[in-house]
Structures are given as structure tokens and as C-alpha cells.
Amino acid sequence: MSGNMNLTLKVWRQKSQNAQGAFETYEAKNISPDMSFLEMMDVVNEDLIKAGKEPIAFDHDCREGICGMCSMYINGRAHGPLKGVTTCQLHMRSFSSGETITIEPWRASAFPVLRDLVVDRTAFERIQQAGGYVSVNTGSVPDANAIPISKENADEAFLSAACIGCGACVAACKNSSAMLFVSAKVSQYALLPQGNVERKERVLKMVSQMDQEGFGNCSNTEACEAECPKEIKVTNIARMNREFLRAKLFS
Amino acid sequence: MTLNSNAPSGPLAEKWNNHKFNLKLVNPANKRKYDIIIVGTGLAGASAAASLAELGYNVKTFCVQDSPRRAHSIAAQGGINAAKNYRNDGDSVYRLFYDTLKGGDYRARESNVYRLAQVSVNIIDQCVAQGVPFAREYGGLLDNRSFGGAQVSRTFYAKGQTGQQLLLGAYSAMNRQIATGKIQSYTRHEMLDVVMVDGKARGIIARDLVTGQIERHSAHAVVLCTGGYGNVFYLTTYARGSNVTAIWRAHKKGAYFGNPCFTQMHPTCIPVSGDHQSKLTLMSASVRKDGRIWVPLKKGDNRKPEDIPEAERDYYLERIYPSFGNLVPRDIASRKAKEMCDQGRGVGASGLAVYLDFSDAINRLGESTVASRYGNLFDMYKQITGENPYKTPMRIYPAVHYTMGGLWVDYNLMTTIPGLYACGEANFSDHGANRLGASALMQGLADGYFVLPYTIGDYLAGEERKEVSIDSPEFVAAEKSVKDQLQKLLSINGNKTVHEFQRELGLIMWNHCGMARNENGLKEGIQKIKALRTEFWNNIKVPGVGEELNQNLERAGRVADFLELGELMMQDALQRNESCGGHFREEYQTPEGEALRDDDNYAYVAAWEYKGENQPSEMHKEKLEYEFIKRSQRSYK
Amino acid sequence: MNSAFKFLDTSIGRKVLMSLTGLFLCTFLIVHVSGNMQLFKNDYGLAFNQYSVFMTTFTPIKVVSYLLYLTIILHAISGFRLTMQNRAARKISYGATKDPRSSSWASKNMGILGTIILLFLVTHMANFWFKYKFGDVPYVQYMLDVNSGEVLGAPVGLTDSGHMKPHELMASDANGQPVKLVIVRDLYNVVKIAFQETWLVVLYLLGMIALAYHLVHGFQSSFQSLGIRHPSYASLIQGIGVWVFGILIPLLFAAMPVYFYFMKS
């Protein structure tokens, strides 16, 4: 078909967590600009299988930008060149024929590569297990409207809660810091009265777990906000710092 | 085996309360002696896991994603229904019950649906207490919106991401229990079989998707919350990983499959752009409020939509249904779009799309008003198609997005295998032949938070409180059969990829068991599937080995199951000689082309029993009794 | 005390330490630059030399200056540790990198900028502070009009037997008019001579450019680290960071070597 593109891909290949990885070069031929980036990868993988080679492993699931599973570092950017878009919603019309595209996994010591472009993000799980919840048992709760919450706070809590946990913030940060992710969680609960009771313990435990996981420190470069597909704001980080200081020093 | 729904008798409003009282209890000190496995961590699985762990049971959860939070419940947009009547607009438990049953075209159990409506109010309380940031009004109280199939505003929402927020709430409750050690969470793990000991579900065989190791896990009860099986159609709004494997393998171990042919199409999806498309994206049904749907009057009219004069356009929904127009229910809108395309009047490169035109709305309301209402959707459409819907009409086409069918369960959510439960979309229960908008989230959470925690105790109370051994011959045998199948898939080394088989199967399903079905088509489809299945087992090519992260191997196993399920769906569609909800048999329609239900002969749940490889499955009927409401025919003219 | 150490061992604690020490150093810069403005006075360096005496002998200032040295060391060590940790947090770097959309060059290079500033500081201290404290900066004598306080000509060098201290005394000039004599060490002259060296002037300019970038990011960043961020004053902090600490102060500092370089008496 006319208008279709030929591309060169430089893809990180790594057999397993402990194996040595390296870039390999592949040709992606006759790619329609209407394809999503992951569909282009599907095509390349089909060709690899047909040629008797191992296809490229990559994480993906919903393919509509909400599950947070996809995680490619494309041409030096987490989730590729567009702002506010996950890899699965990136389409090939954002590239031009003849281009070389470099595709890498998220790079962070806390996110070890499992295979090719698949990384282990369970560090995020452990951070949330450390305190990312309100301790209420099923059934033992008041009527939903018994707790009025200002629309402003509810809306802001929603914006923090919109994080999809993809890890792009860590990938984009020059220090591999997880501050944006953790602060979004802390903020959601800090903004709501439901979260108030455990406010102090929550921030202390979550930050402590974050530190144990080996993420870097925040240099306030704000790359995380710029690359976040859900455009979570760094004001969350300031809020978490505040919460942390309050918990450490004033209680 | 006769099917017993175990639905309690007595007055509708008292059934659940009486039943709860009659259920056996497990002493709090004894709960820690019972292990429960939960497979799938979407709304149903996560809420069940958290609630059961809170009660004191030892819970193990399994999910194929790298985090429980990524289950496809996360993608639900619109909202969740609850009979709170916060709007003072006449809502009640009874009205929600009635709307749901009617919306399902009277193919669900009265008792179940009433219970669903009853507990719906508790769900909202629970979620708010967990910190779910629902939309609120300026006074600080919860906001509601109205949704299809109802005349009251009972839908709670969090922008267009309600599923995400509810799942994160349930996931946070799960995390709390993981931290206490009451839940062990296994991520990147896939259940590949149910282990039966003495006729009861006693564990599962799972594959660690990173190392490829096959693991045995035992429990006193197993709960499947693995969602719907719509991906049998390949191109759907489901996540790529959504599959039937868990419930299908349970089905093969003896769990009956209820109403497999009941699938729902969503009419407003972005159409297929090319052969390599992997996914269809849904646009909220709200677009039909201001958009007008049309196709060219002439066949094969290749002009640009802007160049087709008004007189040569067919606004077919407005023509056929003058009173409801573009706002007819989902199943009808979907079916008519297909009809137009079948007549050769479809648009776009594939000819499988109709126009959704906002130009009238833009002229009437101005571009900025339209942008404020639908800006997000327009942006998303532009992102995917590269076209600007403010200038040129959108192209839409229906896509599969929910399956009402699933494992047959009784009132206690137990399948026909003792100790094996199914919750959420994985079971067949509450939506009948068609699900109303904003009810999927409600059902998933109702099952997990408020039904299963009561009913599972009734079963466990009768079970021995000793650990189930994973060294029994049954576990050994189950593990071996799983390993054998994986080995077989890897060793065939044929010429066709898993991807090709799944696409081919999807196409057969879509053409023969899609929006409109007929006897000949179904019979032909069954033959095609059989042939494809044979080819699959002779010509599949799965690269790599089993002891590694191998995404093709995972998918091959799932497609193998879809290839069996597809046939059963067609069998089910073939036996149901009526049209109801999402199931439309062309032979059974009114002279005006509407669905013709047959309550005298088909007011039953078809529960299918697996009889062995290449043996015809046996159908059992659970008769649906309507004690409390009167059935009527739907009309939207 | 133990809990204070624990606090400083958390990622946020370390950032708080960086921002508090950084902000303290910022206040020092204000004092330092205003004091050094005396260099521009047309008084043969008297005011500057007197200011130097004050800064090195007045006890509270001495205490603060030790605190200052400690702060510089803390800031540097802590910055070094942070950089090392940040490096360890990504052992394999990306093959392709593009500047992320909204992070400034400065914000990503604080470690390098800080190192340049540290190197600058060492040279700076060796050149002036060390010389003044331990070296042989000669004493000079200024003659002042008793009434107007005006400096009457260039100072005269004195021979120091090793026991000289800065002091003032009354005397009469050659015409028998009463004058005030001020005896101080002539740091001013040291400065003047030092900045005749082209390479040193260039080094100072580089140091100030590094300081400017360091502060443009550092000043506002320290407020973010302390959790002080609100739409209503974010732009004020940003403005002070850029205009005062990023432009005005480094520019004034840079003017000093340039001034002497081109003055060439």
C-alpha cells in the first residue's frame, strides 16, 4: 500500500534477568501509519517467528492506555515521542519512513529486566503494600454520603489517583527516582478525610519501602511529570515531602 | 446431575437475609485453618481476596499481569449502578432489580438479581471508605449520572475511569492483607488446571510466566474470577491477555458452562483500520446523544462523506426507529450497523463501518460546546485514526465487549464442582441475555465483597480442617497433563503462528456467531472450527522453550481453549431457537425485524457439561421461574 | 539524635539536608556579595580591608563562618552521596537519550555544576582566605582626614616585625595637621594583583556561570524539597531563584575580577 513505511528498529534483546543483553537491529517493512506501535511490534514478531527466530518479548495488555502494562523506552523517551500517551496509544504516523527507532526497556536497578523489553515492577507493589490503603474492613463502613468531601479535594485526589503505575516516571528520571509514583498515592489519601487517620504511618512506611527498593533520589528535574502518560503533577512530590516532614518532625 | 440453583424461597426482599441466616458459619478461630485460592484479581477477585483475608482465611491470589491492579476491570469507563436513591428520583432496590432483569431480556434468576440490587448500596459505601475518589457535587456529596436502560440517575462515577478507581480501591484492600501475610499474591502466574480430589476442587496447577516453572497450589476452595471470554472473537475491546483458559479448564474438569452464546456488542467502537489491528477501542455510548448515524444510500459509494449530499444519505436508525432514533439499545444499534454493511453500504477502507456525524450538533451547538462534551473522545479518535472528527464524520462499528455467559453457578456462586466458585464476569449469572451499562462493575464487586464471603463459609464449614497435600496422585497427574500439553504445543513446530490461528478463529466466530446468527451459518461455523482446531494441533508453531518467559506459549494455550469454546458457543446459539438480548437468531424475528423471544420454550439457562475430547457436550436446563415480575416484549419504534 | 540520623538516611531527609544547607549558603552569598561591593569603592581599598578585619575578628561572625564551612562540606558530601546513589539506581544506561521535555539542563547537571563550584571555592579560598589567614599579606597604613574621613592618597607599606595587629591611631601629617592613621593588612592589593592574571579571571567567570546555573535550579528546588510549593507563590520563588540568585548575584561577583582586570593601574 502507498504511504506505508519501512523502518529500522534497534531493539534491546536479553534472554533472561541474569543474561547479558545487547541491541539487535531489525527491519520493519510495509508498516501502515495507522498501526499502533505495539501492532508494528506484532508484525515484526510474526516475521521473526516465521524466520525461525525468537520474537521480542514486551509487556502489554489493555492496549487502550489504562492498564499501565506497556513500558517501552522509544527513541530516548518513556512511551515515545508524544506527550500524555502510553506506548499502546502511540501510532506509527508519529514516525517517518526510513527512520531508525531505538527501543529499550525501562532502565532502573529497581526494575530488573526479565526478558527483552519486559521489566519487573514489583517494587511498586511492595511500596503500596507498605501503606497505600485505608484500613477498613468490608462491611464496617458508614453511609457513603456520611463523609462530605469538598469537590475541589475530591477532584484533586482523583487526579493523583489517575496514575496507572506504568513506571514511566522512574524510566524518565535521570536518577530512576520513584517519587512521582509514590507521591501520587500518598497525595490521594492525604487529600481525603478517609486517609487522615493513618496519614503519618502511611507516608513514613511508603517512603521507607521506596528507599529500600533502590530507587534514586529526586533532583526535582521534573522529567517525570513531562513524561507521565497521565500527566501526574510534581506538586504531588511537594505534598509528599510536606507530609513526610510533618510526620517526622511535628508529631 | 440435576441443576439446583439453591435459590431460597420466600418473599423476594427477604430471600438473601434468610439465606444468610441459614448459611453455616466457620468459627473465627478456625478460619485460619482454611486456604482459599483466587484466580484473577479484577474487581471480583481483588474484592473477594481482601474480604476473605479480612475474615481470617488464608488466601492465595493469582494473576497473569505483573500487578493485580492491571486486570481489565481497570478499563471500564462509565460508572457503577447502585440503588441509593440519593437523587430522590424514585429509585429503589426493586427498580434496579426490575431494570436489570428486563434489560437482560428475562434470562436471569430473579433471586440473584434482587440480591445484586440489594447489596449495590453497600458497594458504594465500601468504596468511598477505601478512598475511591468518586465525582462529587459542590456540597461535598456524591454525584450521579444517568445511564442507558434506566430512567433514574443511579450511576456513580469517577470521570471516565470508574473501573480504574474501583479496582485500585479493591487492590488497596488487597495490599493491606498482603502486608499482614493473609494474602500471598502470585503475579505473572497463569492457572492451567483445577485439581480435583475426591470430586472436590482442591487446588490448581499454575505456570510461573517468568521462569516457566509449573507449580502446584492446594486449597480448601478455589474461586475463579478471570473475567469474560470475548477474545474468542479476536478483535474486541478486551485486553489482549483476557482469556477463557481458567474457566475452560474448570469446565473440562466438570464445571458446567452457562449460556456461552450470550455475548454483547458495543455499537460505538472505532472500526478496524487494517489487517494488523489487534484491538478495538470503545467510545462511551454517550456519543450517540448528539451524533447522527448514517450510511450512503447507494451501494459502494466511494465519495468522501462531505461530498455525499443530504438526499443520498440514509439515517437508518432514525428511519427505522422514529421515536428512539439513534438512541436505541446497544444490541439493536449494533445489529443494524451490521445489516447496512452486509448490504454493501458500509464505509471506510474496509467497508465495515458506518458514519457517526456530528456536523448537525456542531452547527446547532457550536464547536466549543461539542468539544466540551466530547473533547476527550474526539482526541482519542483522532489519536487512533488520524482523522479530525470536527471536520469529517467519525466511523464506528460494533465490537464485542462483554460476555454474559460463563461458568454456571448456584445462588452461592458455586459451580457444579464442589468447592469451585466463579465470580464476576466469569460466571453466567446476573445479566441474563444482555447487560445494562454500569452493571458489570456492580456485579463484580457485589460477588466479591458481599456474596462470596458469606456463602463460601457454608461450604468450608463442612470441610476437614487439615492442609491439603500437593503430593497426592491427583496433583501429580494434573501437573503431568499440563506439562504434556505445553510440550505438545512446543513440539508441533508447524508453519502457522498462534496469532494467525487466533485471527482466523475470530473471523469465523464473528461471521458465524456474531451479531446475527442463523442455523446454517452456525452449522457451517462449527465445521470450520473443528477443521481449524485440527489444523492447530498439527500446524502450530510456538517458538522457544517452556522454561522461560514465552509469550507465544502462553497465548497458544489460550487459543487452544478458545478453539474448543468457540464450538460450544455455536452449539449453544444453535439450540436456542429464539432471539433474546445479545443473541439474535435471524429465523426468530418479528416482521419488523426485531428480536422474538420464546418464553414458553427457552426460559431456561443452558448449562453445558463437557463430555470429553471431540464428544458432543450435553446440555442441562435450569428453568427460570418468574414469581414476582411479568415478562414483556421490548419495543423501541 | 539517633532519629535525626535516621531521618537524614531517608531519601527525603537527604533532600531536606541539601535544601537547608543550600538555602543557608544562599543567605551567605547575599552577605558576601554585599560585603565585597566595598571593592568598587574609590578609597584605595580601605573599606574592603577594614571589612576583612571585621569579618575575621568579630566573634559572632567567626562562629557563623565556621558554621558556613561545615555547611559547605555537608552540602558537598551529601551531594556526592546522592549522586552516587542516583548512579547506582541505574546501572545500565540508555542507548538513546533525548532531553525530556521540561527538565532544564541545570537540573540534570547539579552534580557537575556543584563540583565546578567546589573547585572554584578551593582556588578562591587558597588565593584569598588562606593567604589572609596564614600567609604574609603585608600591613599598610592609610592616612585619613580627621574630619571628613576621606582617604588621603594611596596607603604606605609597613614592615611587620611579626607582632603587628590592625589598629588605628591619631597623628599629624607633614604639615602638622591632625590625621587618622589606619593600619590594616592590604588584602585589597592581593585581590587587585590576583585579577591581573587572565586565567584566574576566566576561572572566576566560569565559576560564576556554574553558580548561576546551580542556583537557578537549586533555589527553587530546595523549596520543592521542603514541600513548600503552592500556585500562589510558586512563581515568586521561581522569580527570586532566576533573577536574584541566577542573574544578579553571579553577575555582581563576576564584575569584581573583570573590574580589576580592566582597571590595570
Side-chain angles (χ1 to χ4, degrees), chain C:
Chain C
M1 201 58 197
N2 189 23
S3 70
F5 277 119
K6 269 193 189 151
F7 170 67
L8 291 178
D9 208 36
T10 62
S11 55
I12 297 178
R14 288 188 289 264
K15 293 302 297 182
V16 167
L17 179 69
M18 282 309 271
S19 56
L20 290 179
T21 51
L23 286 175
F24 179 67
L25 294 174
C26 283
T27 60
F28 159 72
L29 284 179
I30 296 173
V31 175
H32 190 36
V33 81
S34 21
N36 281 19
M37 292 305 281
Q38 320 275 2
L39 283 170
F40 296 123
K41 253 188 167 173
N42 201 9
D43 62 353
Y44 304 99
L46 172 65
F48 179 74
N49 283 337
Q50 281 181 313
Y51 162 73
S52 307
V53 173
F54 172 77
M55 292 303 278
T56 45
T57 52
F58 187 55
T59 314
I61 296 279
K62 279 172 88 174
V63 173
V64 172
S65 64
Y66 284 110
L67 191 62
L68 179 73
Y69 305 142
L70 186 73
T71 307
I72 293 174
I73 292 167
L74 260 179
H75 193 80
I77 292 177
S78 174
F80 180 74
R81 274 192 62 200
L82 283 168
T83 308
M84 287 299 113
Q85 280 171 340
N86 294 343
R87 290 247 172 103
R90 177 169 295 144
K91 295 196 185 82
I92 302 172
S93 51
Y94 288 110
T97 45
K98 254 190 200 149
D99 288 348
R101 278 157 277 236
S102 76
S103 46
S104 63
W105 179 84
S107 71
K108 289 182 293 171
N109 292 284
M110 290 299 273
I112 295 169
L113 292 168
T115 312
I116 296 174
I117 295 167
L118 188 65
L119 287 176
F120 164 79
L121 266 183
V122 170
T123 324
H124 178 58
M125 300 271 285
N127 269 339
F128 303 118
W129 177 85
F130 187 82
K131 261 191 198 157
Y132 193 67
K133 273 251 174 205
F134 306 106
D136 52 351
V137 178
Y139 277 88
V140 290
Q141 176 181 296
Y142 287 90
M143 194 184 283
L144 277 70
D145 184 299
V146 182
N147 299 317
S148 65
E150 192 190 327
V151 182
L152 305 167
V156 198
L158 298 176
T159 339
D160 179 12
S161 56
H163 303 288
M164 203 172 260
K165 287 242 160 40
H167 62 285
E168 293 176 6
L169 50 99
M170 301 303 286
S172 358
D173 64 1
N175 303 324
Q177 295 297 316
V179 288
K180 188 161 108 178
L181 296 179
V182 178
I183 293 110
V184 287
R185 296 169 77 190
D186 196 2
L187 186 63
Y188 179 81
N189 197 42
V190 175
V191 172
K192 203 167 113 181
I193 294 165
F195 289 145
Q196 304 308 312
E197 287 286 352
T198 311
W199 71 268
L200 194 71
V201 175
V202 171
L203 177 78
Y204 269 62
L205 291 182
L206 285 177
M208 287 312 107
I209 292 169
L211 182 69
Y213 276 105
H214 199 74
L215 294 184
V216 162
H217 175 67
F219 184 75
Q220 55 94 10
S221 171
S222 40
F223 287 91
Q224 166 84 358
S225 291
L226 292 170
I228 303 168
R229 179 166 181 146
H230 191 272
S232 58
Y233 51 73
S235 57
L236 179 70
I237 291 175
Q238 181 86 22
I240 295 175
V242 173
W243 290 102
V244 177
F245 288 96
I247 296 176
L248 183 64
I249 291 181
L251 216 54
L252 286 174
F253 274 128
M256 293 164 192
V258 172
Y259 169 77
F260 284 105
Y261 187 70
F262 289 107
M263 196 167 81
K264 290 208 176 155
S265 52

Side-chain angles (χ1 to χ4, degrees), chain B residues 511-542:
Chain B
N511 290 336
H512 295 272
C513 196
M515 280 181 283
R517 302 144 178 195
N518 63 57
E519 188 181 340
N520 289 338
L522 286 165
K523 284 181 172 161
E524 200 184 314
I526 289 170
Q527 293 314 315
K528 285 186 180 173
I529 289 186
K530 279 188 201 287
L532 189 65
R533 200 164 58 224
T534 310
E535 191 194 349
F536 178 89
W537 285 108
N538 288 301
N539 198 24
I540 181 80
K541 183 181 183 70
V542 182

Side-chain angles (χ1 to χ4, degrees), chain B residues 1-7 109 247 251 254-260 404-417 420-422 426-429 604-609 620-624:
Chain B
M1 182 171 164
T2 51
L3 285 171
N4 181 0
S5 72
N6 287 317
R109 269 184 218 138
I247 60 172
H251 170 60
Y256 292 3
F257 209 114
N259 296 331
M404 281 72 70
L407 288 186
W408 182 92
V409 290
D410 67 5
Y411 191 68
N412 293 326
L413 305 179
M414 185 147 82
T415 66
T416 49
I417 295 177
L420 182 74
Y421 291 79
N427 71 30
F428 87 103
S429 64
Y604 60 75
V605 177
W608 294 85
E609 182 184 1
H620 303 265
K621 293 179 185 175
E622 181 204 336
K623 189 121 188 65
L624 292 167

Side-chain angles (χ1 to χ4, degrees), chain B residues 103-162:
Chain B
D105 227 350
Y106 308 99
R107 290 294 174 263
R109 269 184 218 138
E110 278 184 327
S111 54
N112 280 55
V113 178
Y114 195 85
R115 175 177 66 188
L116 176 66
Q118 270 178 310
V119 302
S120 69
V121 298
N122 304 105
I123 295 171
I124 304 303
D125 300 342
Q126 186 62 33
C127 297
V128 166
Q130 287 166 345
V132 171
F134 281 121
R136 285 176 185 269
E137 294 174 325
Y138 284 100
L141 302 182
L142 293 165
D143 194 13
N144 289 113
R145 58 164 63 142
S146 63
F147 229 79
Q151 287 165 307
V152 292
S153 284
R154 62 159 78 100
T155 305
F156 295 80
Y157 66 100
K159 289 215 174 138
Q161 282 138 269
T162 317

